[in-house]
Amino acid sequence: MSETKAPRTGREPDPESESWRKLPWRKFEQHVYRLQKRIFRAGQHGNTQAVHKLQKLLTKSRAARLLAVRRVTQDNQGKNTAGVDGVKAVAPQQRLILAEQIHPKQWEGNQPRPVRRVWIPKAGKAEKRPLGIPVMLDRAHQCLIKLALEPEWEARFEPNSYGFRPGRCAQDAKEAIFNAIRYQSKYVLDADIAGCFDNISHTALLDKLHSYPAIQRTVKAWLKAGILEDGGFHETIKGTPQGGVVSPLLMNIALHDIERAIREAFSYKESVPQLVRYADDLVVLHPTEAGVQKAKHLLETWLSTMGLELKPSKTRITHTLQDYQGQVGFDFLGWTVRQFAVGKTHTGKNPRGRPLGFKTIITPSKEAVKRHTADMKVVIDRNQHAPQEKLIEELNRVNRGWANYHRRTAASKTFHACDQLLYLQLKRWAKRRHPNKGGHWIANKYWHVDEGQGWQFQSQQAKLWKHGQAHVQRHIKVKGAASPYDGDLLYWSQRLKQHPLCNGVKGILLRKQQGKCRWCELLFQDTDVIEIDHITPKSEGGGEELSNKCLLHRHCHDERHARRVNGICAKDPIIEEPDEGKLSSPVCAVRRFEIFLLQTGGTREMFLSHQLTRRRKPNGTRAC
């Protein structure tokens, strides 16, 4: 007669999840990063044989395979989105199995599953874009291959390519444009590639990839895997599915050398054009109209070799200062770039201090403001009958993200206008909730006087965050061809503190923690998912003060809370001073070390020294 196992309570540790959490993740991160640095340096020196040898070593490494699985099953936003097999939210024990399945020896002969196609709306447009979702096994394998391929291509990519690359963002592309026109007005070719992800030639892409046979076969299999939509199977004869882990890297590889091809076609006397590209959006800047027309022809010819073409409705020629075909300036990535003729008191100056007669100003575009106000209206209408705290929480999320993206431009007037419009929307929201009440009653219920800031839309638990609170400041462009794989961690950790999306609380905590995660003590990187954690949970009396907050990786955040629920950290935190008997308890000691680590960022040696000092009297006798 077989014995039945007693059910495990929520407080007991799960052996499967414990085995996953107890893996030496910090050593794995360091090992993989060392290999990636070696691949990057070999790529810089043009040593293809060493690059391929190191890539084989990386893909076979257990550390890289486990990290790839953790990224797609814990860190990725789409971890709960299933592919054609319906698998999502992979449990810890299955993660270990998944890491073994993506070993190169296990993968030989395996055919990738088709991607599941869904259609998502484009921002501010009626049309939709196709999104291909691979199965979890293929996602993990793609992430592993990306870990090996990305350092090689980061050493080769052109300096003015900014989209879908680690350590680079849209604000860097904006600053590159500003630097190109700050001293001279220029003609602009504002171009967009039609269906870039969906139309890349497989043959041309694989020829340009030119990796060793195992990766070539694997990437080709992904490209030819097919699409499953509405129960029907469709072959893929071109394009790379937008939604795959490795798809953005493959797109950048396909568009590599486009800048060099255009620049080499111009002589020094013609003035070499400047090209700035963010993913499939690009601009070409040149002092003459003929130069821009020539660049457009060269661009169309080069794209045809990759099976691509320019989108006529989004490709046009304009000028940054003068009226050209009824238009001045251009829109790029949600900003309007334009130069204005001004007098001697407001004009920009060249490096010698001579006045230019114009000033370059970059502001949020009208379309971007229109989309944002529509998003605010959707949030307000959706919360017509919700509590004020819930409305404030959702509005703050929308407003912070939009303002942080645009605060590196001349956006002060735009922010003020958005705040004025938001006030009118909220006034209408309050009036609809209380149609029979007067204006004074409504104002006193939802708006309260805040010392030094006047009337604010707030409640006892929440306060509305206004656009004007995002202080406008200049963005510092990334250095030339710098990459996170070059080993200069100090430079990249300093840049992360100034990242446009790491302002406010995150920026303060990053500086306080010196750019390190308080759990694993590794430096944050640009590709990491960073979350704010409350040391003492709000459900147990913790507040919103900075001393009760710290920054953790998403996987470190999950691990910390899992340990609190299932293991030694179930009681969180210990407020009272423990007595002598409690001080000898291993559970209490580990918990105190966790709190000390989160609050101070210290090491185990610093913690032991702190405990020894705290438990002794000044005269050297032990404290009771």
Side-chain angles (χ1 to χ4, degrees), residues 375-395 397 426 429-430 432-433:
D375 291 340
M376 291 191 298
K377 183 178 183 301
V378 169
V379 171
I380 292 173
D381 291 343
R382 187 170 60 236
N383 291 277
Q384 184 61 46
H385 303 290
Q388 186 183 11
E389 292 79 9
K390 185 175 183 296
L391 172 63
I392 291 176
E393 181 183 357
E394 293 194 22
L395 278 176
R397 190 182 303 116
L426 291 174
W429 171 85
R432 285 175 61 186
R433 287 168 70 96

Side-chain angles (χ1 to χ4, degrees), residues 350-615:
N350 64 12
R352 297 183 179 181
R354 296 177 181 175
L356 299 172
F358 61 84
K359 193 174 185 65
T360 303
I361 298 179
I362 302 178
T363 58
S365 66
K366 292 182 179 180
E367 286 297 322
V369 175
K370 184 178 179 180
R371 288 196 301 268
H372 178 56
T373 54
D375 291 340
M376 291 191 298
K377 183 178 183 301
V378 169
V379 171
I380 292 173
D381 291 343
R382 187 170 60 236
N383 291 277
Q384 184 61 46
H385 303 290
Q388 186 183 11
E389 292 79 9
K390 185 175 183 296
L391 172 63
I392 291 176
E393 181 183 357
E394 293 194 22
L395 278 176
N396 286 351
R397 190 182 303 116
V398 172
N399 294 348
R400 281 180 187 272
W402 190 84
N404 288 341
Y405 180 81
H406 292 283
R407 71 189 182 97
R408 301 303 176 94
T409 63
S412 296
K413 292 183 178 179
T414 303
F415 288 167
H416 179 71
C418 288
D419 285 333
Q420 291 290 328
L421 182 59
L422 179 58
Y423 165 73
L424 296 176
Q425 291 176 330
L426 291 174
K427 184 178 177 182
R428 175 175 172 268
W429 171 85
K431 187 64 178 175
R432 285 175 61 186
R433 287 168 70 96
H434 307 282
N436 298 325
K437 297 292 185 179
H440 290 288
W441 187 93
I442 293 175
N444 291 327
K445 179 174 177 61
Y446 295 108
W447 280 265
H448 304 282
V449 178
D450 195 354
E451 185 177 354
Q453 296 183 357
W455 288 87
Q456 302 292 325
F457 187 79
Q458 61 184 354
S459 65
Q460 293 182 351
Q461 293 81 20
K463 179 179 177 180
L464 181 67
W465 190 89
K466 293 185 177 181
H467 301 80
Q469 293 177 239
H471 302 292
V472 174
Q473 54 183 290
R474 182 73 181 273
H475 179 76
I476 301 175
K477 192 180 81 69
V478 64
K479 291 192 302 187
S483 172
Y485 301 112
D486 58 14
D488 191 357
L489 292 179
L490 178 61
Y491 170 75
W492 290 106
S493 63
Q494 292 294 330
R495 277 193 63 81
L496 187 61
K497 298 174 189 177
Q498 302 166 357
H499 195 279
L501 300 182
C502 287
N503 75 316
V505 175
K506 276 190 178 181
I508 295 172
L509 291 175
L510 275 171
R511 287 188 286 272
K512 181 181 177 181
Q513 298 177 197
Q514 298 181 350
K516 293 183 179 179
C517 173
R518 282 291 169 83
W519 187 263
C520 65
E521 296 184 351
L522 290 175
L523 285 169
F524 288 114
Q525 297 185 14
D526 183 75
T527 54
D528 292 337
V529 183
I530 305 174
E531 295 183 344
I532 298 177
D533 179 49
H534 291 79
I535 300 174
T536 303
K538 292 189 290 184
S539 61
E540 300 181 13
E544 291 291 338
E545 59 273 9
L546 284 175
S547 59
N548 191 45
K549 294 180 179 180
C550 65
L551 293 183
L552 304 176
H553 293 103
R554 174 174 288 174
H555 47 264
C556 294
H557 196 183
D558 294 342
E559 180 182 349
R560 177 176 182 259
H561 283 278
R563 289 185 62 188
R564 285 186 59 249
V565 173
N566 295 325
I568 59 175
C569 304
K571 289 183 67 177
D572 183 30
I574 297 175
I575 304 298
E576 71 276 12
E577 183 69 19
D579 57 21
E580 186 63 24
K582 290 183 179 179
L583 284 173
S584 60
S585 169
V587 173
C588 184
V590 174
R591 180 64 195 134
R592 289 198 314 276
F593 170 63
E594 179 193 353
I595 296 175
F596 177 82
L597 179 66
L598 289 171
Q599 290 180 340
T600 66
T603 61
R604 185 176 294 276
E605 290 74 15
M606 292 172 59
F607 169 73
L608 294 175
S609 175
H610 168 74
Q611 288 296 103
L612 184 63
T613 304
R614 187 179 62 82
R615 291 168 57 188

Side-chain angles (χ1 to χ4, degrees), residues 2-167:
S2 61
E3 297 182 358
T4 59
K5 295 182 179 180
R8 186 171 57 247
T9 63
R11 292 292 185 181
E12 296 176 359
D14 183 359
E16 296 180 355
S17 59
E18 281 296 315
S19 62
W20 173 262
R21 286 196 296 270
K22 287 181 179 179
L23 291 171
W25 293 108
R26 184 174 181 178
K27 291 184 179 179
F28 291 167
E29 293 270 8
Q30 292 170 341
H31 174 69
V32 170
Y33 184 69
R34 280 196 296 268
L35 284 176
Q36 289 179 320
K37 278 198 304 183
R38 292 175 64 186
I39 295 172
F40 179 82
R41 290 171 182 170
Q44 281 184 318
H45 298 148
N47 191 346
T48 306
Q49 185 177 0
V51 167
H52 292 171
K53 183 178 180 181
L54 291 168
Q55 286 175 337
K56 292 176 183 178
L57 185 63
L58 180 64
T59 54
K60 293 178 182 178
S61 165
R62 182 169 179 261
R65 289 184 281 115
L66 287 168
L67 284 176
V69 171
R70 187 176 70 170
R71 289 190 181 183
V72 300
T73 59
Q74 285 187 268
D75 292 346
N76 197 292
Q77 288 289 105
K79 61 185 177 183
N80 292 321
T81 304
V84 295
D85 58 353
V87 175
K88 62 179 180 179
V90 183
Q93 186 61 26
Q94 279 73 42
R95 295 173 197 164
L96 295 171
I97 298 174
L98 201 61
E100 296 301 323
Q101 291 177 335
I102 62 175
H103 191 283
K105 290 184 179 179
Q106 299 289 338
W107 193 258
E108 289 294 335
N110 288 350
Q111 185 66 24
R113 302 287 295 275
V115 298
R116 181 171 70 92
R117 170 168 283 180
V118 296
W119 294 85
I120 59 174
K122 292 186 177 180
K125 299 177 183 177
E127 57 182 316
K128 297 183 178 181
R129 70 171 78 246
L131 191 68
I133 305 172
V135 298
M136 195 64 71
L137 176 62
D138 289 339
R139 276 183 251 179
H141 195 204
Q142 287 184 18
C143 187
L144 177 64
I145 297 300
K146 184 181 178 182
L147 289 176
L149 283 178
E150 195 168 54
E152 174 195 1
W153 284 92
E154 278 294 312
R156 300 165 61 180
F157 281 146
E158 295 157 327
N160 284 320
S161 166
Y162 298 97
F164 302 127
R165 291 183 58 187

